[in-house]
Amino acid sequence: MNQVIETILNHRSIRSFEDKLLSKEQIETIVKSAQAASTSSYIQAYSIIGITDQEMKKKLAEVVGNQPYVEKNGHFFVFCADLYRHAVIGKMEEKDVEPSIESTEKFMVALIDAALAAQNAALAAESMGLGICYIGGIRNNLEEVVKLLKTPDRVIPLFGLAVGYPAKITGQKPRLPLEHIYHENTYEANEEKYTKELEEYNEVIKKYYLERTAGKRSETWTEQMGKMLERKSRMYMKEFVADKKLNLR
Amino acid sequence: MNQVIETILNHRSIRSFEDKLLSKEQIETIVKSAQAASTSSYIQAYSIIGITDQEMKKKLAEVVGNQPYVEKNGHFFVFCADLYRHAVIGKMEEKDVEPSIESTEKFMVALIDAALAAQNAALAAESMGLGICYIGGIRNNLEEVVKLLKTPDRVIPLFGLAVGYPAKITGQKPRLPLEHIYHENTYEANEEKYTKELEEYNEVIKKYYLERTAGKRSETWTEQMGKMLERKSRMYMKEFVADKKLNLR
């Protein structure tokens, strides 16, 4: 196994960091790594905002809903889907790019571009011995996040990436069985088979939580997902994204 | 520089592969690497379809629009946003998960999850000396792709990933200047500054194409983007995604 695969398979989210900031060089290496990712038709439809202002990190942590690692980390990145610069390009080149920019297709492109870049950033950081945690919680209140970060129309902050020197290493959560995620040639949408596979996976997860919490928690994966998905969370998103003139047509 | 960052920074899309299939072990390592990526609240909202049937690869290549590397490669993966299993979970757990699953928020989650997994897969492959190319072209005709792959509602094939032994190594395309992609604390949406930066970048790209094509091509980045975005491509996407009962509310 090479160092890349080792780093990938060794991933776990780190939620407690030492009080030590990343160096300028580390940040640059991480951003350059992000930029090296594939990008759909060379469109480069994302931006990264690095938060260095401690007061701002504190505010972001509040907005996200009291995740201390949003405030206390070595560096905090926010990855954004970004078609603002492409709107500027429309003016520069005198082309009507609006229908494209406002399409669901290009919204998807921007999301995928940003996520590919982010995963490169995450792995680059982890390869340097740093820990990372994605913060989807910034989508709890994007109205506030957008105000804080001053992002314009055509830009959606998607998630944060907290990076830093790990203070506490956690365990790895077992993933779905490979056979359940990976299909050959065609997707086998067999409800009965799915249910059976998920029940088997549930046993793995139950055992994992029991061991990890010394018998205090015994939730299955489908229980956890059922509860989470029953909650109608972030239902403002469709309107919010449309208000920023994306995913419109 | 460690091997991870080296692999990341050395990325280039490979579009010509040797006639040699990946081994079962290589495929498994790539899929396991994909699964090791972070996933929003443990939701694991993606699936991967590996195409081994040569006839099917050929059909896919036709659907995509004659990209020979979709047919000729060491292995072809299709990454899908997938909330089908979560619909099954709703039934298993007797919870009303529909509003969640049909939300723009969860559509975004599934896209991001799939892309994070894909980038791990891409890097794992590259670390083994294989080349990769993302194939957004499968979105040219998702109706046909869905028929071929038999994906159910709540599943959207997002992109392909062609992997194989490189037959021809290409150059790397220069990315936007770091300062243009990376903001500190707040996003500076200054149209004038953006235009100036893009003009500078244009000179880099023009020079790159001139050198690469021995003077035959001298396109700038904004010209290329302007032309691309002027075309109304894949405008069926919003309706298609809605038809699959995603991104609805």
Side-chain angles (χ1 to χ4, degrees):
Chain A
M1 203 191 295
N2 63 53
Q3 199 208 331
V4 178
I5 294 170
E6 221 169 274
T7 304
I8 287 173
L9 296 182
N10 191 43
H11 165 71
R12 58 213 62 215
S13 292
I14 299 295
R15 292 188 174 84
S16 174
F17 299 103
E18 284 177 22
D19 188 14
K20 188 178 168 188
L21 293 176
L22 265 60
S23 69
K24 199 171 170 259
E25 203 194 337
Q26 284 174 315
I27 295 168
E28 269 194 25
T29 303
I30 291 170
V31 176
K32 275 184 191 156
S33 295
Q35 288 196 266
S38 292
T39 161
S40 177
S41 301
Y42 207 11
I43 192 170
Q44 308 180 73
Y46 63 93
S47 281
I48 308 168
I49 305 174
I51 315 296
T52 53
D53 183 305
Q54 197 53 44
E55 194 51 40
M56 211 160 151
K57 277 192 188 176
K58 204 179 158 185
K59 276 187 199 155
L60 267 179
E62 283 165 21
V63 167
V64 163
N66 283 321
Q67 295 182 348
Y69 38 100
V70 173
E71 185 181 347
K72 286 170 189 159
N73 49 53
H75 199 68
F76 194 76
F77 296 94
V78 178
F79 282 79
C80 307
D82 187 346
L83 288 157
Y84 168 74
R85 77 172 62 86
H86 302 86
V88 175
I89 288 172
K91 290 189 189 172
M92 284 172 74
E93 298 291 333
E94 296 177 3
K95 304 270 191 200
D96 179 17
V97 299
E98 273 205 359
S100 259
I101 286 182
E102 295 179 352
S103 67
T104 291
E105 159 66 15
K106 286 296 179 289
F107 178 61
M108 290 165 69
V109 159
L111 256 68
I112 294 167
D113 254 30
L116 298 182
Q119 188 54 15
N120 263 9
L123 285 170
E126 289 177 325
S127 78
M128 298 187 231
L130 300 165
I132 67 111
C133 187
Y134 281 96
I135 313 291
I138 71 160
R139 293 196 309 281
N140 286 338
N141 190 346
L142 276 183
E143 206 65 73
E144 278 305 311
V145 170
V146 157
K147 256 187 227 159
L148 273 172
L149 306 183
K150 299 191 168 55
T151 52
D153 282 356
R154 324 282 195 189
V155 175
I156 308 283
L158 295 176
F159 46 80
L161 185 71
V163 181
Y165 293 87
K168 203 183 145 200
I169 312 275
T170 44
Q172 286 185 302
K173 283 196 270 189
R175 298 304 195 236
L176 279 163
L178 185 142
E179 304 74 40
H180 190 77
I181 280 280
Y182 183 68
H183 306 255
E184 219 169 79
N185 293 315
T186 50
Y187 191 107
E188 215 189 325
N190 180 326
E191 217 174 292
E192 215 171 307
K193 185 168 165 274
Y194 256 61
T195 304
K196 199 173 154 274
E197 280 175 8
L198 291 174
E199 276 163 357
E200 280 165 24
Y201 180 53
N202 275 344
E203 289 310 308
V204 177
I205 298 303
K206 207 167 158 176
K207 199 169 156 234
Y208 162 79
Y209 280 126
L210 278 169
E211 277 170 14
R212 204 182 163 206
T213 62
K216 277 181 209 146
R217 183 177 176 183
S218 68
E219 214 178 13
T220 68
W221 187 67
T222 61
E223 266 171 26
Q224 198 179 331
M225 289 303 112
K227 267 184 226 165
M228 180 178 80
L229 294 168
E230 194 184 26
R231 263 189 294 121
K232 292 179 190 65
S233 99
R234 304 173 190 161
M235 297 302 287
Y236 74 97
M237 195 58 72
K238 188 164 199 270
E239 209 182 314
F240 179 86
V241 170
D243 186 56
K244 298 300 165 211
K245 299 185 191 160
L246 294 170
N247 193 30
L248 278 176
R249 42 177 157 179
Chain B
M1 204 190 295
N2 63 53
Q3 200 208 329
V4 178
I5 294 170
E6 221 169 273
T7 304
I8 287 172
L9 296 182
N10 192 42
H11 164 71
R12 58 214 60 217
S13 292
I14 300 295
R15 291 187 175 82
S16 174
F17 300 103
E18 284 177 21
D19 188 15
K20 188 178 170 189
L21 293 176
L22 266 60
S23 69
K24 198 172 170 258
E25 203 194 337
Q26 284 174 315
I27 295 168
E28 269 194 26
T29 303
I30 291 170
V31 176
K32 275 185 191 156
S33 295
Q35 288 196 268
S38 292
T39 161
S40 177
S41 302
Y42 208 12
I43 192 171
Q44 308 180 74
Y46 63 93
S47 280
I48 307 168
I49 305 174
I51 315 297
T52 53
D53 183 305
Q54 197 54 42
E55 195 51 39
M56 211 160 152
K57 277 191 188 176
K58 204 179 159 186
K59 276 188 198 153
L60 266 178
E62 283 164 22
V63 167
V64 163
N66 283 320
Q67 295 181 350
Y69 38 99
V70 173
E71 185 181 346
K72 287 172 188 158
N73 49 54
H75 198 68
F76 194 76
F77 297 94
V78 178
F79 283 79
C80 307
D82 188 346
L83 288 157
Y84 168 73
R85 76 172 62 85
H86 302 85
V88 175
I89 289 172
K91 290 190 191 173
M92 285 172 75
E93 298 291 334
E94 297 177 3
K95 304 269 189 200
D96 179 18
V97 299
E98 272 205 0
S100 259
I101 286 182
E102 295 179 351
S103 67
T104 292
E105 159 66 15
K106 285 298 178 289
F107 178 60
M108 290 165 70
V109 159
L111 256 69
I112 294 167
D113 254 30
L116 298 182
Q119 188 54 15
N120 264 9
L123 285 170
E126 289 178 325
S127 78
M128 298 187 231
L130 301 165
I132 66 112
C133 187
Y134 281 96
I135 313 291
I138 70 161
R139 293 196 309 281
N140 286 338
N141 190 346
L142 277 183
E143 206 65 72
E144 277 305 310
V145 171
V146 157
K147 257 187 228 160
L148 273 171
L149 306 183
K150 300 191 169 50
T151 52
D153 282 355
R154 324 283 195 188
V155 175
I156 308 283
L158 295 176
F159 46 80
L161 185 71
V163 181
Y165 293 87
K168 200 182 148 202
I169 312 275
T170 43
Q172 286 185 302
K173 283 196 271 188
R175 297 302 194 240
L176 279 163
L178 186 141
E179 304 72 40
H180 189 79
I181 280 279
Y182 183 67
H183 306 255
E184 219 168 82
N185 293 313
T186 49
Y187 191 108
E188 215 189 326
N190 180 327
E191 215 173 295
E192 215 171 307
K193 185 169 164 274
Y194 256 63
T195 305
K196 198 172 154 275
E197 280 175 9
L198 290 173
E199 277 164 356
E200 280 165 27
Y201 180 52
N202 274 344
E203 290 310 308
V204 176
I205 297 303
K206 207 168 159 175
K207 199 169 157 232
Y208 162 79
Y209 280 126
L210 278 170
E211 277 170 15
R212 204 181 163 207
T213 63
K216 279 181 206 145
R217 184 178 175 183
S218 68
E219 213 178 13
T220 68
W221 188 67
T222 61
E223 266 171 26
Q224 197 180 332
M225 290 303 112
K227 268 185 225 163
M228 180 178 80
L229 294 168
E230 194 185 27
R231 264 189 293 121
K232 292 180 191 65
S233 100
R234 305 174 191 161
M235 298 302 286
Y236 74 97
M237 194 57 73
K238 189 165 199 272
E239 209 182 313
F240 179 85
V241 170
D243 186 56
K244 299 299 166 214
K245 299 186 192 159
L246 293 170
N247 193 30
L248 278 176
R249 42 177 158 179

